[in-house]
């Protein structure tokens, strides 16, 4: 029995994904292009390539920036794909605010929970994304961002604290694990810390769910997250297969980071 041929929609999605993965780095070498990803033209039109640039301008001005004009249409594996260009730049940023009275997410927790404050011992404060388990040892781990658990000054094996120093500077009493692994690049901005000296609860704060598997993100998917600063927020996936230039400062500098983009719902 012959295998069912993928739909045109699936073929286009896969072609766009391959194009970004193979050609994205070349576009990001342009000093004015800040990202490339799969999205909808004008936010709600046909699926195509959505670029972001540091500055939108006339052709003559673009050339003075050492850049080039992005074509309005690109042919990819037999598909004529429209492009869209937005003015936008990116940085690894999370808004730090003073802890509110009674905010459990910014206090020392045992068990620790996804959504709570966490950080490298020399950092500020970020969010525990999930409790996961090391595929080799089965040890429980905190999943968060590279810029939260590692950062420019971090090294594998460093102490991790919960809550982060911005929320409670008594770091000696707040040790909760050690940095196990981290990654910064095409697979994202992520890090794992092996949990030590605390129990844990896998249910995400305020959502009452335990993530059991990964999903393949699609355009227009509805998403929700629980975070240390903004707590529970809802969004819509606006771009997938995104490659973006992000400046992490220090010795790390500008890196090309893979991910997807969420707009507010």
């Amino acid at each position: 029995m012959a295998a069912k041929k993928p739909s045109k929609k699936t073929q286009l999605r896969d072609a766009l994904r391959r194009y970004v993965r193979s050609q994205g780095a070349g576009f990001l070498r342009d000093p004015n292009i800040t990202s490339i990803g799969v999205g909808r033209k004008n936010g709600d039109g046909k699926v195509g390539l959505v670029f972001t640039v540091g500055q939108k301008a006339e052709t003559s001005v673009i050339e003075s920036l050492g850049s080039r004009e992005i074509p309005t249409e690109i042919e990819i594996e037999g598909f004529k794909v429209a492009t869209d260009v937005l003015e936008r730049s990116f940085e690894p940023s999370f808004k730090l605010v003073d802890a509110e009275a009674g905010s459990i997410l910014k206090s020392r927790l045992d068990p620790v929970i996804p959504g709570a404050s966490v950080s490298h011992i020399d950092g500020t404060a970020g969010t525990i994304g999930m409790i996961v388990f090391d595929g080799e040892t089965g040890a429980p781990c905190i999943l968060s961002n590279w810029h939260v658990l590692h950062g420019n000054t971090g090294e594998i094996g460093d102490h991790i604290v919960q809550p982060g120093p911005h929320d409670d500077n008594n770091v000696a009493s707040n040790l909760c694990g050690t940095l196990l692994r981290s990654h910064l690049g095409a697979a994202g901005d992520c890090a794992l810390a092996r949990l030590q000296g605390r129990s844990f609860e896998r249910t995400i704060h305020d959502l009452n769910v335990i993530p059991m598997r990964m999903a393949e993100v699609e355009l227009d998917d509805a998403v929700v997250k629980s975070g240390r600063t903004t707590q529970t927020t809802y969004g819509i996936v606006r771009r997938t297969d995104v490659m973006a230039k992000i400046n992490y400062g220090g010795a790390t500098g500008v890196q090309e980071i893979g991910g997807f983009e969420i707009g507010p719902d």
Side-chain angles (χ1 to χ4, degrees), residues 17 37-39 217-219 237-242 259-261:
R17 179 169 296 165
V38 179
V217 67
E218 299 282 359
L219 290 176
V237 175
R238 299 302 186 192
R239 286 197 297 165
T240 66
D241 304 286
V242 176
F260 58 93
E261 184 175 279

Side-chain angles (χ1 to χ4, degrees), residues 48-81:
L49 290 175
V50 179
F51 292 82
T52 61
V53 296
Q55 181 179 340
K56 290 185 72 173
E58 298 295 329
T59 302
S60 59
V61 176
I62 290 174
E63 290 175 351
S64 72
L65 297 171
S67 182
R68 67 186 189 277
E69 197 166 12
I70 296 169
T72 57
E73 188 176 81
I74 299 175
E75 185 166 338
I76 302 172
E77 298 183 22
F79 292 97
K80 291 185 177 180
V81 177

